[in-house]
């Protein structure tokens, strides 16, 4: 039986924790496309199949957008309700959160908009009053108990059902998009558990965000939906194009930033991003944003909680404090983010809840905190941050207020925010990396927003009391609203997030989509670039690259330059002291010989040569394909025994009369493996691996096979050159 004529199930697939061969996958897709195009001219039915095949990508994007948008809306609504559940319950219906509960109340006054008869704190329900030390202790106790319950459920579900559901997910998705296989990471169990535990983890009050994990959730949706379409189910490279678009969808629903999502996928996550994927990412992000907007989880007819409208323009001199915020963000971005075992989740939750409750700025959810810090104080604001000393308002037509002296409440708020800044900086370092779904976007933004608001209020008071100083004289007259503290918070948030992730273009676009502050792009750009420069000067890796390295994944960073003057012969295996290269001859080995070679070695594939003497290269065959093909032949082909000869040649030579039937495996061999000469510079080899997504490359000298270079060999070599442990690269 010629395996060229009849495809064997399983051949061409990959084992877990292995890298895909991009070249082979793209070649498979081209052949499939060519066959469909040829058949489409033969009949109307074939033409319809060709049209449906072309349309299937767009249909898949539509489904990914709808499913991700719906899940994100559900997560937002549930997290809001459960966060408020720690403080009280609605008597109208326990499923209403605090805000929704008070919307329907006719007895709510503007001054006390957060208080209504329908919403009862736990102290009111248990003790009967909300005043006094006993009521405070009761509310405190219930807050801590609910937080512990939520975090316990989250960590238990992750441990029991889906260990891959913990963390942010973005480092692993970056690795998967580079061609690595982690089975189950984007499966249905991971999706279900991640969705449930994400709500629980955010509601517990831990210093983590849902934005990073939403990228993982969207990629899970895409991976599951890919199984509905043969084109994507059977081709790993095509599936990764869909996952690239899903990463854009995740950011689109996380921040309400569809364009920022597409740029995030392009800049930060994707390894291979053709123009077709750009259009499909844009479409999927649009559908997801539209779905989320239809659900309206925040009840404000907007996609995000942070939308703000600043009324005063920024001045050129303000770039100096904006750059200072960028420096702060860069330094914060290089702090060592810790890894803690599962058992510490409850301890960290208890510490977080105990320290967070007394301070109103740490008690509220991080998203609400950022929203309050971004807010531009207007006439209708009752926030403590906006409680300035009264000054006659000169601009009655506008909601904007002039710069005024800070009142007692503002000074109290500044102290609380200073404590909140220290608390957030310390607790985020401990929380990130725990065995619950945890994103770093929102905590990083919160740290930056607090620092920015503190600096903004400081600048505002400086301008009010010293408007005759040289720096303020030209643009800051008495009674004018020249400093906007909310803008400083926004710039600080971007700076800290940029310092942690090293995002630039996508971050600026996300920030202006997030807040609607289109005219503040220059301050955002200045802070983002400064934070990246400072962070890169202190440490070359962003948080995702650091996690990939800690986990030992084989990821060739596209942004990293290879500057060492080494040659292919310095990196290839076998080395001088190693045993000779394991090869298969094209017509001189039996089934038993090949099975012994497979049993004795753990290599992912074998070069095929003319003979051991000549070492002339014929092709390359994958270990998995060999194993599956031999097992299949033993079951389905009559007479195949251990003594049967294996041929990789085009024609089988005549066999002796009583010999068992031969096995033809030319169909599973790669006839055009990538080769380089032994004197090829390693920077060129690294470039070839990055741009073509190779698994391995064979090294020859005058056409004679010398050795092999795998992706893992390159990563080990790069680690060695950077004085790191080469054995930290764990996977193949």
């Amino acid at each position: 039986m010629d395996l060229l004529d009849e495809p064997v199930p399983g051949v061409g697939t990959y084992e877990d924790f292995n890298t895909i061969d991009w070249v082979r996958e793209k070649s498979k897709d081209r052949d499939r496309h060519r066959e469909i195009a040829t058949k489409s001219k033969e009949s109307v039915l074939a033409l319809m199949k060709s049209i449906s095949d072309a349309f299937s990508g767009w249909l898949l994007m539509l489904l990914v957008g709808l499913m991700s948008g719906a899940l994100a809306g559900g997560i937002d609504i549930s997290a809001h309700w459960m966060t408020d559940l720690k403080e009280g319950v609605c008597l109208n219906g326990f499923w209403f959160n605090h805000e929704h509960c008070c919307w329907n109340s006719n007895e709510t006054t503007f001054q006390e908009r957060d208080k209504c008869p329908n919403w009862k704190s736990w102290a009111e329900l248990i003790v009967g009053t909300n005043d006094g030390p006993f009521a405070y202790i009761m509310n405190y106790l219930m807050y801590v108990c609910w937080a512990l319950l939520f975090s316990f459920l989250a960590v238990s579900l992750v441990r029991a059902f889906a260990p891959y559901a913990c963390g942010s997910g973005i480092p692993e998705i970056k690795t998967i998009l580079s061609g690595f296989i982690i089975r189950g990471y984007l499966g249905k169990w991971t999706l279900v558990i991640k969705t449930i535990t994400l709500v629980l983890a955010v509601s517990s009050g831990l210093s983590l965000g849902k934005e990073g994990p939403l990228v993982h959730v969207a990629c899970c949706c895409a991976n599951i939906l890919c199984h509905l379409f043969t084109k994507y189910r059977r081709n790993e490279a095509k599936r990764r194009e869909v996952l690239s678009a899903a990463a854009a969808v995740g950011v689109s629903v996380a921040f309400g930033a569809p364009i920022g999502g597409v740029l995030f996928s392009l800049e930060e996550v994707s390894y291979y991003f053709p123009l077709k994927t750009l259009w499909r990412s844009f479409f999927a992000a649009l559908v997801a944003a539209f779905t989320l907007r239809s659900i309206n989880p925040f009840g404000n007819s907007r996609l995000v909680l942070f939308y703000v409208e600043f009324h005063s323009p920024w001045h050129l001199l303000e770039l100096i404090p904006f750059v200072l915020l960028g420096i702060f963000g860069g330094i914060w971005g290089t702090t060592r983010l810790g890894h803690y075992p599962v058992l510490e989740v409850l301890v960290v939750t208890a510490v977080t809840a105990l320290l967070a409750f007394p301070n109103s700025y740490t008690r509220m959810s991080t998203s609400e905190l950022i929203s309050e810090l971004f807010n531009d104080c207007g006439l209708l604001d009752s926030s403590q941050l906006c409680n300035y000393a009264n000054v006659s308002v000169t601009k009655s037509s506008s909601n904007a207020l002039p710069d005024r002296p800070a009142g007692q409440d503002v000074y109290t708020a500044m102290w609380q925010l200073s404590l909140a800044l220290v608390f957030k900086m310390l607790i985020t370092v401990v929380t990130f990396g725990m065995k619950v779904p945890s994103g770093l976007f929102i905590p990083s933004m919160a740290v930056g927003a607090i620092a920015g608001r503190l600096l903004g209020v400081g600048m505002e008071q400086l301008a009010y009391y010293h408007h005759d100083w040289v720096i303020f004289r030209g643009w800051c007259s008495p009674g004018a609203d020249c400093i906007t503290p909310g803008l400083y918070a926004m710039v600080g948030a971007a700076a800290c997030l940029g310092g942690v992730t090293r995002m630039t273009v996508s971050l600026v676009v996300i920030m202006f989509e997030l807040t609607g502050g289109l005219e503040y792009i220059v301050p955002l750009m200045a802070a983002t670039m400064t934070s990246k420069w400072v962070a890169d000067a202190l440490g070359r890796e962003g948080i995702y690259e650091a996690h990939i390295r800690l986990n030992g994944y084989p990821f060739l960073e596209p942004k990293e330059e290879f500057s060492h003057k080494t040659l292919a012969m310095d990196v290839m295996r076998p080395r001088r002291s190693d045993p000779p290269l394991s090869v298969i001859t094209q017509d001189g080995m039996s089934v038993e010989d090949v099975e012994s070679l497979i049993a004795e070695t753990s290599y992912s594939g074998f070069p095929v040569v003319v003979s051991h003497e000549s070492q002339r290269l014929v092709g390359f065959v994958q270990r998995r394909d060999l194993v599956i093909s031999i097992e299949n032949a033993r079951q389905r082909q009559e007479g195949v025994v251990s003594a049967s000869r294996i041929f990789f040649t085009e024609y089988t030579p005549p066999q002796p009369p009583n010999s068992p039937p031969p096995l033809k495996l030319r169909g599973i061999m790669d006839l055009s493996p990538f080769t380089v000469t032994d004197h090829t510079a390693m920077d060129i080899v690294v470039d070839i691996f990055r741009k073509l997504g190779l698994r391995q490359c064979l090294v020859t000298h005058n056409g004679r096979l010398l050795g092999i270079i795998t992706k893992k060999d390159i990563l080990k070599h790069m680690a060695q050159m950077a004085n790191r442990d080469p054995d930290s690269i764990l996977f193949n």
Side-chain angles (χ1 to χ4, degrees), residues 411-433:
Y411 285 118
T412 307
M414 291 300 100
W415 273 110
Q416 287 181 326
L417 281 176
S418 301
L419 292 170
L421 178 64
V422 175
F423 170 73
K424 284 280 179 192
M425 285 174 74
L426 294 174
I427 209 75
T428 302
V429 171
V430 177
T431 307
F432 192 72

Side-chain angles (χ1 to χ4, degrees), residues 164-173 176 182-187 190-191 194 216 220 223 553:
Y164 283 152
C166 69
S168 146
I170 293 178
E172 283 77 11
I173 285 160
I176 288 167
I182 310 176
R183 298 220 185 279
Y185 200 83
L186 301 175
T190 307
L191 174 64
K194 186 111 185 181
H216 188 183
C220 287
N223 187 57
Y553 295 135

Side-chain angles (χ1 to χ4, degrees), residues 22 219 316 429 496 541 653 685:
W22 284 89
C219 286
L316 202 61
V429 171
C496 274
E541 291 178 323
V685 176

Side-chain angles (χ1 to χ4, degrees), residues 606-621:
F606 303 94
V608 180
V609 294
V610 173
S611 66
H612 283 293
E613 293 75 33
S614 75
Q615 289 286 311
R616 296 282 172 189
L617 185 64
V618 178
F620 190 85
V621 64

